[in-house]
Amino acid sequence: MQTVESGTPINLAATAAVSKAAGTLIGFYVNNKTAGATLVLSHGSAAGGTAITGTITPLIGWHELKLYCPTGVYATIAVQPMDLTFFFAAG
């Protein structure tokens, strides 16, 4: 199995697809957030996909989360704003 060490940075501040392509989510960096902001990651490129994580209440900083996402990955951000940078390697 190949280990993925780097990926394309994708910045989100609201609920949206991180990637519509298959690939590996390496992790994410929380740049800024409102108190109580939460994140849920799901398989697929649109709302309604199968949840990959439970509800995450992340701190500001780096969060390693290596996951293969065969149908892309979707981020649901509650209590906005929360500024996130995801690192995703397609393929």
Side-chain angles (χ1 to χ4, degrees):
M1 175 178 258
Q2 178 183 352
T3 301
V4 178
E5 298 291 333
S6 65
T8 302
I10 301 158
N11 187 257
L12 295 179
T15 296
V18 174
S19 177
K20 295 181 180 185
T24 300
L25 178 64
I26 298 161
F28 60 93
Y29 194 92
V30 179
N31 303 302
N32 196 356
K33 68 177 207 136
T34 299
T38 61
L39 170 67
V40 176
L41 299 174
S42 304
H43 283 294
S45 59
T50 303
I52 299 170
T53 67
T55 300
I56 302 168
T57 306
L59 299 173
I60 292 176
W62 173 249
H63 301 268
E64 183 174 319
L65 186 62
K66 293 188 178 181
L67 299 168
Y68 179 69
C69 304
T71 57
V73 63
Y74 191 83
T76 301
I77 300 170
V79 187
Q80 297 174 19
M82 180 162 42
D83 181 17
L84 298 155
T85 303
F86 292 91
F87 292 86
F88 190 84

